[in-house]
Amino acid sequence: MSSTPEQRIALLRQSINQHNYHYYVLDDARVPDAEYDRLMRELQALESEHPLLISADSPTQRVGAEPLAAFKQVQHELPMLSLDNAFNADDMREFEKRLLSRLDEPQALSYVCEPKLDGIAISLLYKDGVLQRGATRGDGNVGEDITHNVRTIASIPLKLVGDDYPAILEVRGEIYMPKRSFEAYNERALAADEKPFANPRNAAAGTLRQLDPKIAAQRHLEMCCYGYGLITDSDGQPLQIADKHSEILKQCQRWGFRINPEMRVVSGVAACLEYHDYLLAKRPELSYDIDGIVFKVDDVELQKQLGFVSRAPRWAIAHKFPAEEEITRLLGVDFQVGRTGAITPVARLEPVFVGGVTVSNATLHNRDEIARLDVRINDTVIVRRAGDVIPKVVKVVLERRPDDASLIVFPESCPVCESPIERVEGEAISRCTGAAICGAQVKESIKHFASRKAMDVDGLGDKLVEQLVDEGLIKSVADLYTLEVEKLCTLERMAEKSANNLVAALEASKQTTFAKFLFSLGIREVGEATASNLAQHYGNLSALQQADVESLLSVADVGPVGAQHVYDFFHAPHSQELLESLQACGITWPDIKVKSEAELPLKGLTYVVTGSLETMDRSDAKQRLQDLGAKVAGSVSKKTHCVVAGPGAGSKLAKAQELGVEILDEKMFLSLLAQYQQ
Ligand code: IVH
């Protein structure tokens, strides 16, 4: 029996909401995106044919029509509280002691451990299962109504899942911008000459502050639930939905909210400290910024007994991580010359403790970045150090600019060899043109040549390379192999034993692999992976030397710029000399058997991998495609043949859909690999 439009609409909404739930809340997509899009298009078509059937909780109604004129104020039904902080293990032990001293009976306490998301606190109010209002925390009593923006966030249900929800449900949590979306946003902003955000938190706050919901709809925000406010039945009577905080969160997940997969319940403060160490180590890998951990007593009854002190609950604490951003002063700027002549301005800072270490240098990237930040010497600046990433200056505190702040002058000539500095049209980087006559470039290329992933000369560290060049013992990488024990012993602090060891290490380094040798040459755009792909593709040096740009372009990971650099390198007269002298020194490697066409079934095809895969990480997926001969690109274009998309895929997937590129979900991708028995 065929259904009425009304029934069909209800069915479509139900399945779209189900798919959303699996995708955004459980991270477990149930249908390929193409199928989801078909359902959405069918619903849109039916709703436009029958406008009277449109309801505010329909998944088509995420972006409201008109921008607001101003934000409305919202009085929170129950105040939104803040948290007391702990900064070390002693503070945490004090916290537990305080709890135990307040409880009637001595007991082992269970805590819920949750990442402290660095975003914007939010309250979401549902009446009879339908989203009514989204509001910011504001001062805890009065916030701002941002319903129009909240509705655009895909991980926030417009309608709750199931039918066992209370009449009134207020869910609380954090809205944040994932790191990858933040980076993508900033890349686009910079390309369009717009102002980037200093960090993901500012990006989330700036987005939610927009009056026009279309802006939030274009940016990728997410919401994670960590608590609740008012919950009542239809008579307005307060309801307790479970007796453990962790169980309440799990119930919220069943109703359609994302909860943090890192949430754990542990017993006692020692286990809390273990969780702290675990999450601190995991922090750089997480797809979102966190600034600590929130520990909460799990038992709701005990929470009630413990109560509140001023604006914070006694039963919870935020154990803060070392800040990733700090404020300090810019003392000066040095210009460093890299291996390829790239000039990097390096900020000399008043030392500051940030991201767990003391930082006194930070990168300013390039000339454009100095202009964009409008940074001057003596300015007060914000430095950021996240994980192992090189510290960088992200912002100037303009209000604190002193009268004697002076402009940073980018040099016209190399600070090391005085050759002119050149900037290629369209490139951000300025370079010293001195090449082999530039002491800095020579030193850096020798350091690179000797490094572990290149020729791996044991014991030849950066300091020793500088000493060898400064003392005139070597001028190029080939000179390394002419070093003799006697000469080395003339160096300060070089004993005979160390000199012998170095000569032996140089001798041992001569037996290498083709890939390592290629990488050691320091050709621009040829990193470790590209060197390995070139080696696999050509098998031996003379085949690579004869390759033209077109042939180079068919190698995995090699784009037009890289292909040109490789071609230019092998056609420059000094490179020929260098290669000959290195081989004359006795450097050898076994040639590689080049794979036959039959072993490369995906040859000539370009793939893009996006989102996260369950059975392997993206770099493995990329390697396996490359092993089958495919080229794996970083962005989707008309030249892309196929996109492998896992959950969390965003703009690349959208682009593929727009261009009609074939899309594989993980299951389909695995069967493709199985087909070729990978
Ligand atoms: S609970 C009554 N849990 O931290 C307790 N807060 O410093 C209220 N935050 O304003 C907060 N992640 O914006 C809680 N898992 C988490 C959190 C979290 C981030 C933020 C929240 C709050 C601030 C308090």
Side-chain angles (χ1 to χ4, degrees), residues 80-85 114-122 137 172-174 201 225-227 245 291 293-294 296 308 311-313 315-316 318 320:
M80 289 182 77
L81 303 168
S82 64
L83 290 168
D84 195 10
N85 290 326
E114 298 166 20
K116 186 171 185 302
L117 298 160
D118 201 4
I120 305 299
I122 181 84
R137 177 176 182 275
R172 292 180 177 177
E174 201 88 346
R201 197 193 119 83
C225 157
Y226 56 63
H245 176 79
D291 58 351
I293 298 167
V294 184
K296 301 170 183 169
F308 301 87
R311 312 282 311 145
W315 43 264
K320 299 288 282 272

Side-chain angles (χ1 to χ4, degrees), residues 427 523-526 560-570:
E427 264 191 35
I523 305 168
R524 269 173 60 191
E525 303 280 324
V526 180
V561 178
Q564 194 61 51
H565 281 309
V566 174
Y567 182 87
D568 290 348
F569 176 87
F570 285 110

Side-chain angles (χ1 to χ4, degrees), residues 626-648:
Q626 287 176 347
D627 290 346
L628 291 169
K631 197 174 156 105
V632 182
S635 59
V636 178
S637 72
K638 273 186 276 178
K639 290 187 190 148
T640 312
H641 295 92
C642 187
V643 169
V644 178

Side-chain angles (χ1 to χ4, degrees), residues 107-345:
Q107 54 197 294
L109 288 173
S110 281
Y111 300 96
V112 185
C113 319
E114 298 166 20
K116 186 171 185 302
L117 298 160
D118 201 4
I120 305 299
I122 181 84
S123 146
L124 302 170
L125 190 69
Y126 289 79
K127 228 179 242 169
D128 296 324
V130 178
L131 174 67
Q132 302 293 317
R133 187 193 76 193
T136 60
R137 177 176 182 275
D139 66 3
N141 292 316
V142 179
E144 275 179 342
D145 187 327
I146 53 163
T147 315
H148 61 302
N149 286 331
V150 156
R151 293 177 60 86
T152 67
I153 299 173
S155 43
I156 295 181
L158 298 178
K159 187 174 187 325
L160 299 181
V161 176
D163 49 20
D164 61 342
Y165 40 74
I168 300 282
L169 173 68
E170 184 198 350
V171 163
R172 292 180 177 177
E174 201 88 346
I175 291 181
Y176 58 95
M177 187 179 278
K179 290 183 201 166
R180 236 193 294 149
S181 315
F182 161 72
E183 281 152 19
Y185 173 83
N186 271 1
E187 255 173 51
R188 282 197 304 272
L190 286 173
D193 252 345
E194 284 165 13
K195 213 171 152 234
F197 286 111
N199 53 46
R201 197 193 119 83
N202 288 4
T207 304
L208 292 176
R209 223 176 282 127
Q210 299 290 328
L211 289 165
D212 184 352
K214 288 197 188 67
I215 297 177
Q218 283 159 10
R219 299 181 192 167
H220 174 211
L221 294 180
E222 284 193 8
M223 188 267 185
C224 180
C225 157
Y226 56 63
Y228 56 93
L230 189 68
I231 307 182
T232 71
D233 63 16
S234 50
D235 299 324
Q237 291 306 307
L239 281 176
Q240 183 170 331
I241 47 184
D243 52 16
K244 297 273 187 283
H245 176 79
S246 52
E247 291 304 323
I248 300 176
L249 292 192
K250 283 182 197 153
Q251 177 58 64
C252 289
Q253 184 184 39
R254 289 191 284 276
W255 284 327
F257 298 93
R258 176 184 266 274
I259 61 173
N260 201 303
E262 295 294 345
M263 179 177 92
R264 304 274 186 282
V265 180
V266 303
S267 178
V269 76
C272 290
L273 294 171
E274 265 175 42
Y275 179 86
H276 171 273
D277 294 349
Y278 155 77
L279 204 67
L280 184 59
K282 201 165 178 188
R283 186 187 197 184
E285 281 169 45
L286 296 175
S287 59
Y288 43 84
D289 267 359
I290 59 174
D291 58 351
I293 298 167
V294 184
F295 296 104
K296 301 170 183 169
V297 171
D298 197 19
D299 190 302
V300 178
E301 210 36 59
L302 291 182
Q303 288 185 356
K304 284 186 189 154
Q305 275 186 42
L306 289 160
F308 301 87
V309 58
S310 67
R311 312 282 311 145
R314 282 205 186 84
W315 43 264
I317 197 154
H319 190 175
K320 299 288 282 272
F321 287 155
E324 287 187 327
E325 283 186 4
E326 261 306 345
I327 204 159
T328 186
R329 206 164 60 88
L330 177 67
L331 304 175
V333 176
D334 287 345
F335 293 88
Q336 267 178 5
V337 188
R339 175 167 57 84
T340 60
I343 308 283
T344 307

